[in-house]
Amino acid sequence: QNVIKRVGYFNDNNGIFLEQESNGTLNFVIRSQTGVGASERRVPQSQWNKDKLDGNGVSGFNIDITKTQLFFTDFEWLGVGRVRCGFSMDGKNIVAHEFYNSNHLETVYMSNPNLPVRCEVRNTGAQVGAGGSFIQICSTVMSEGGYVEAGREFSHTTNLRTVGVGSTVPIIKI
């Protein structure tokens, strides 16, 4: 179909995501910009190291990507920790693949851990508008080690001068 689908915690330079290629292959991917340009470590389902979710793994589950899925990823930051990817099925978190980074890489596995939740459908063929659909229901991001608020503040300063008691001053005009 010439369509690639991605969902996860990523941007154009860094992140961790689940990818479905045009031929249906599922991959877990770590994208990293630690030098010039971004590189990707892509692991197809046939090489997942914990549970391939093909019905023969420890869980016994056979993933049906045509049905709804609860994908999760968790990672140890400091740039060199473990990254786990998997799915929640029947109330169980099943780790399908672990990326090991500490003592395996010469640099950090990604340069920025503060990323957006992102869904992407990308047409890779010459035919514009060639079919593909993606339904994203919900998402969440949790942090155990603290966080720094990012994004736009939903407030505005009025730069008002000090006014006397009993004076009427508009706070906001629409």
Side-chain angles (χ1 to χ4, degrees):
Q1 266 199 27
N2 298 325
V3 173
I4 294 176
K5 301 174 186 180
R6 295 176 177 147
V7 61
Y9 185 70
F10 68 106
N11 63 19
D12 291 341
N13 300 317
N14 290 284
I16 305 159
F17 54 92
L18 172 68
E19 172 185 78
Q20 183 182 30
E21 295 182 41
S22 296
N23 64 9
T25 300
L26 296 178
N27 301 303
F28 292 123
V29 182
I30 292 182
R31 180 179 288 164
S32 176
Q33 182 170 10
T34 56
V36 178
S39 63
E40 294 180 343
R41 291 164 53 199
R42 182 172 276 100
V43 180
Q45 182 178 4
S46 62
Q47 295 175 21
W48 292 351
N49 60 13
K50 292 297 177 185
D51 193 327
K52 292 177 178 51
L53 297 176
D54 60 2
N56 298 311
V58 175
S59 70
F61 282 105
N62 188 2
I63 193 168
D64 182 351
I65 205 67
T66 66
K67 305 289 192 286
T68 57
Q69 300 298 328
L70 282 171
F71 164 70
F72 74 85
T73 184
D74 67 11
F75 58 92
E76 299 169 324
W77 183 239
L78 296 179
V80 296
R82 178 185 64 190
V83 176
R84 298 187 307 174
C85 300
F87 298 87
S88 292
M89 295 187 182
D90 295 346
K92 299 175 189 169
N93 285 340
I94 300 168
V95 175
H97 186 76
E98 291 184 349
F99 290 91
Y100 303 112
N101 300 298
S102 180
N103 202 43
H104 292 272
L105 301 178
E106 294 181 15
T107 187
V108 296
Y109 65 85
M110 64 183 183
S111 60
N112 184 359
N114 299 310
L115 300 166
V117 172
R118 179 171 168 175
C119 301
E120 181 178 286
V121 177
R122 183 170 293 218
N123 186 345
T124 61
Q127 185 178 4
V128 176
S133 64
F134 192 111
I135 299 172
Q136 167 67 12
I137 299 170
C138 62
S139 59
T140 188
V141 175
M142 293 180 267
S143 173
E144 291 181 3
Y147 64 95
V148 175
E149 292 278 346
R152 296 182 76 182
E153 291 185 22
F154 293 98
S155 64
H156 178 72
T157 180
T158 59
N159 294 320
L160 289 176
R161 66 191 187 292
T162 303
V163 294
V165 175
S167 300
T168 302
V169 178
I171 297 174
I172 187 169
K173 292 189 277 185
I174 299 176

